[in-house]
C-alpha cells in the first residue's frame, strides 16, 4: 500500500504544524491556571484573551462575544437548551438536515413539552427562507439553521435567513462548524445572533470550540461554578485547546483569501470523474457547496462497504457523516432530500484539503470506480 490519502476533512482536519508548535508549551511548561494570580496564571489569562480576539476576528465579532466551549456540540446544545427555559413551552424552527448535535437536542426539547418545526430541504439540500417564514409564530424563540451541511455540503442562504429573522425580532443561530476557517464569515452584516464553531474542523485540536453570542443576547449559563467565560460557562479553561484554537484562527485568516480557490478545482475534478461511474448521483447543490465537499450516492451498493474497501487501499473517506457512519440506518439528510431508495445506502462523502493534488484525485477516483464495480459484482454473485 502506498501513501495514505486523507480525504475526510469534514470529519476532522489535520492540526496545522505551526498550531501544534505554538500549543506544545501549554501542555507542560506553561501550566498556569488563568484564574490564578501567580505570574504563570496571568500569562495563561493573556493567552486566553488573545485566542478570544483571534476567534472573534475570524467571524467579524467582538472578543467579548466569544465564549469557549468543548466544541460544536456543546455550543449547539447551549443555544438550543437555554433558548427554552424549563417550565414553559417554547417554539423553535430548525431544519430537518441539521447535525445530530442540533437534531437530538431538539428531540430532547420536544420531550420536555417544547414545539420544534423541522423545515425540509429541496432535492439539493437547500432550505428556503420562505419555508421558515411560513412557520413563524408570535412565540417563536429561535431559528436555527446550519451554515453548510456536513454531509452533502450545501451552503444555506444564511444572510437571507438572518435578515428575515431580524425583521421578526427572532434570534438566529447558525451551526457554522463546517464553514468557520474555510469561508469568510461576517456575523454582523448577516444578522447572526448565535454561531457555533469547532477548532478541530479548522486545523486546531479536538475538544475545543466556541459560541458567538451577539451583545445583548447572552444566554443563561450553560455550566454553573466559577466565573470563567464571564460567568456563563464555568470550569477551568482548556488551555492547550484554546491556545490552539486561537492559533488556528490566525492560520485560517491567512489562508482565507486562497484556500477555497485552491480546493475547488480538486473538488470539481473529483465530481467530473465520479459522474462517469454508471448509476452515480451527485448529492447537494452543484454550485452553492462547500469548496472541499464531494458527495455521491451509488446505486445498488453499500457506502460503508465502499469506504472500508477504500480504507484498505489507503484512501480515507466517509460513508455519509463521520459521527453516524457506524450506524446502519440511512442518513436523515438524504432521507429528508427524498433520495431514491436504491441510492440511499450507497452514500460516499469525500472531503478535500489543500494537501492533495490532481494526481491524488485521479488515483482515488479510479479506485472508487473500481470498487463500486467490485461491490456490484459481488452482490450479483451472492
Ligand atoms: N455541527 C456540525 C455541522 C458538524 O459537522 C459537527 C462535527 O462533525 C458538529 C456540529 C459537532 O462538533 P464537535 O465535534 O466539535 O462536537
Amino acid at each position: 500500500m502506498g501513501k495514505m490519502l486523507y480525504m475526510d476533512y469534514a470529519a476532522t482536519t489535520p492540526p496545522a504544524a505551526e498550531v501544534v508548535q505554538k500549543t506544545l508549551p501549554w501542555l507542560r511548561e506553561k501550566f498556569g491556571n488563568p484564574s490564578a494570580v501567580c505570574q504563570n496564571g496571568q500569562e495563561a489569562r493573556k493567552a486566553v484573551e488573545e485566542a478570544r480576539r483571534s476567534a472573534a476576528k475570524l467571524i467579524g465579532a467582538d472578543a467579548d462575544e466569544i465564549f469557549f466551549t468543548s466544541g460544536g456540540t456543546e455550543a449547539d446544545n447551549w443555544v438550543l437548551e437555554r433558548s427554552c427555559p424549563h417550565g414553559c413551552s417554547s417554539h423553535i424552527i430548525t431544519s430537518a438536515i441539521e447535525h445530530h448535535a442540533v437534531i437530538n437536542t431538539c428531540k430532547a426539547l420536544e420531550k420536555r413539552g417544547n414545539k420544534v418545526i423541522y423545515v425540509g430541504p429541496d432535492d439539493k439540500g437547500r432550505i428556503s427562507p420562505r419555508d421558515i417564514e411560513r412557520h413563524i409564530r408570535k412565540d417563536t424563540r429561535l431559528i436555527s439553521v446550519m451554515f453548510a451541511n456536513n454531509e452533502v455540503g450545501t451552503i444555506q442562504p444564511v444572510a437571507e435567513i438572518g435578515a428575515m429573522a431580524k425583521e421578526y425580532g427572532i434570534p438566529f443561530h447558525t451551526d457554522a462548524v463546517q464553514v468557520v476557517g474555510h469561508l469568510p464569515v461576517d456575523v454582523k452584516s448577516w444578522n447572526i445572533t448565535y454561531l457555533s464553531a469547532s477548532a478541530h474542523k479548522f486545523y486546531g485540536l479536538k475538544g475545543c470550540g466556541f459560541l458567538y453570542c451577539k451583545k445583548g443576547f447572552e444566554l443563561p449559563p450553560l455550566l454553573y461554578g466559577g466565573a470563567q467565560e464571564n460567568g456563563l460557562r464555568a470550569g477551568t479553561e482548556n488551555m492547550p485547546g484554546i491556545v490552539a484554537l486561537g492559533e488556528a484562527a490566525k492560520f485560517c485568516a491567512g489562508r482565507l483569501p486562497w484556500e477555497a480557490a485552491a480546493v475547488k478545482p480538486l473538488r470539481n475534478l473529483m465530481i467530473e470523474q465520479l459522474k462517469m461511474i454508471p448509476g452515480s448521483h451527485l448529492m447537494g447543490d452543484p454550485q452553492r457547496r462547500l469548496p472541499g465537499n464531494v458527495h455521491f450516492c451509488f446505486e445498488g451498493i453499500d457506502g460503508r462497504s465502499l469506504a472500508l474497501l477504500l480504507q484498505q487501499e489507503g484512501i480515507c473517506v466517509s460513508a455519509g457523516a463521520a459521527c453516524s457512519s457506524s450506524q446502519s440506518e440511512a442518513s436523515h439528510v438524504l432521507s429528508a432530500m427524498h433520495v431514491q431508495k436504491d441510492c440511499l445506502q450507497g452514500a460516499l462523502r469525500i472531503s478535500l484539503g489543500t494537501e492533495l493534488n490532481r494526481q491524488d484525485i485521479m488515483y482515488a477516483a479510479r479506485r472508487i470506480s473500481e470498487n463500486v464495480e467490485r461491490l456490484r459484482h459481488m452482490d450479483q454473485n451472492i
Side-chain angles (χ1 to χ4, degrees):
M1 189 165 77
K3 69 170 180 175
M4 206 257 288
L5 282 184
Y6 186 73
M7 298 189 166
D8 205 10
Y9 278 70
T12 196
T13 48
E18 45 265 72
V19 168
V20 173
Q21 198 201 347
K22 294 258 175 60
T23 304
L24 282 175
W26 296 91
L27 291 174
R28 190 169 145 78
E29 299 94 314
K30 298 177 185 246
F31 61 89
N33 182 331
S35 300
V37 289
C38 4
Q39 196 262 329
N40 65 2
Q42 292 311 298
E43 191 188 6
R45 166 63 45 217
K46 265 175 72 180
V48 169
E49 298 318 320
E50 186 188 328
R52 202 185 304 284
R53 283 193 296 276
S54 304
K57 205 165 164 200
L58 191 60
I59 61 164
D62 294 334
D64 58 359
E65 296 175 312
I66 301 294
F67 298 84
F68 291 119
T69 64
S70 67
T73 301
E74 184 182 312
D76 287 343
N77 270 258
W78 191 352
V79 178
L80 291 155
E81 272 284 337
R82 295 299 182 255
S83 296
C84 296
H86 278 265
C88 60
S89 165
S90 304
H91 184 255
I92 284 186
I93 303 172
T94 187
S95 87
I97 58 167
E98 297 296 308
H99 188 271
H100 282 114
V102 168
I103 295 273
N104 287 342
T105 310
C106 286
K107 285 188 183 153
L109 290 171
E110 283 184 286
K111 283 194 188 135
R112 288 211 318 252
N114 298 287
K115 174 87 183 143
V116 182
I117 303 288
Y118 302 90
V119 174
D122 68 6
D123 62 347
K124 301 280 186 287
R126 294 175 293 220
I127 302 295
S128 148
R130 297 289 79 80
D131 286 346
I132 296 171
E133 191 173 18
R134 282 194 299 113
H135 291 284
I136 289 176
R137 304 193 325 204
K138 275 207 179 74
D139 62 342
T140 303
R141 276 189 175 264
L142 184 75
I143 295 171
S144 179
V145 177
M146 70 199 318
F147 205 127
N149 185 263
N150 50 303
E151 293 185 34
V152 298
T154 302
I155 298 174
Q156 304 301 342
V158 163
E160 249 185 276
I161 300 171
M164 193 247 303
K166 187 179 177 203
E167 208 180 298
Y168 285 90
I170 302 166
F172 169 45
H173 166 240
T174 189
D175 173 338
V177 165
Q178 292 290 338
V179 172
V180 168
H182 302 289
L183 291 172
V185 173
D186 186 355
V187 287
K188 297 265 147 84
S189 57
W190 300 342
N191 296 298
I192 295 168
T193 321
Y194 305 116
L195 176 144
S196 308
S198 177
H200 76 98
K201 307 286 186 177
F202 61 93
Y203 311 103
L205 301 182
K206 288 156 196 70
C208 190
F210 67 83
L211 176 67
Y212 156 78
C213 286
K214 188 181 164 82
K215 248 181 231 109
F217 289 84
E218 285 81 4
L219 294 156
L222 176 69
L223 299 174
Y224 296 92
Q228 293 92 350
E229 299 306 295
N230 214 11
L232 299 182
R233 200 272 188 184
T236 302
E237 292 86 345
N238 167 7
M239 284 306 301
I242 290 172
V243 168
L245 188 151
E247 292 302 328
K250 286 185 221 162
F251 174 76
C252 287
R255 293 166 62 95
L256 272 180
W258 59 266
E259 189 193 88
V263 180
K264 266 187 202 169
L266 300 176
R267 175 197 75 184
N268 294 344
L269 178 64
M270 182 66 100
I271 290 176
E272 223 174 79
Q273 296 299 309
L274 299 187
K275 264 187 176 167
M276 291 194 274
I277 300 175
S280 69
H281 302 269
L282 174 68
M283 295 292 137
D285 192 309
Q287 269 88 43
R288 282 185 59 83
R289 72 186 302 128
L290 288 168
N293 176 284
V294 178
H295 189 296
F296 271 84
C297 283
F298 299 102
E299 286 170 24
I301 63 148
D302 178 54
R304 278 169 304 269
S305 308
L306 179 58
L308 281 172
L309 286 177
L310 291 165
Q311 181 55 65
Q312 284 168 11
E313 300 184 3
I315 300 168
C316 189
V317 292
S318 207
C323 43
S324 53
S325 53
S326 57
Q327 296 163 8
S328 56
E329 74 259 30
S331 140
H332 68 287
V333 175
L334 299 179
S335 301
M337 287 162 59
H338 301 294
V339 171
Q340 288 169 14
K341 238 183 163 163
D342 57 341
C343 282
L344 216 46
Q345 298 296 339
L348 195 74
R349 180 187 69 184
I350 304 147
S351 42
L352 308 170
T354 51
E355 282 80 358
L356 297 158
N357 59 40
R358 289 178 69 85
Q359 274 160 308
D360 297 332
I361 301 296
M362 293 303 288
Y363 173 75
R366 245 187 344 264
R367 304 308 302 149
I368 292 169
S369 173
E370 284 165 12
N371 280 298
V372 168
E373 264 305 295
R374 190 173 155 198
L375 283 169
R376 285 183 179 151
H377 193 68
M378 276 160 66
D379 220 29
Q380 276 168 11
N381 290 339
I382 289 173

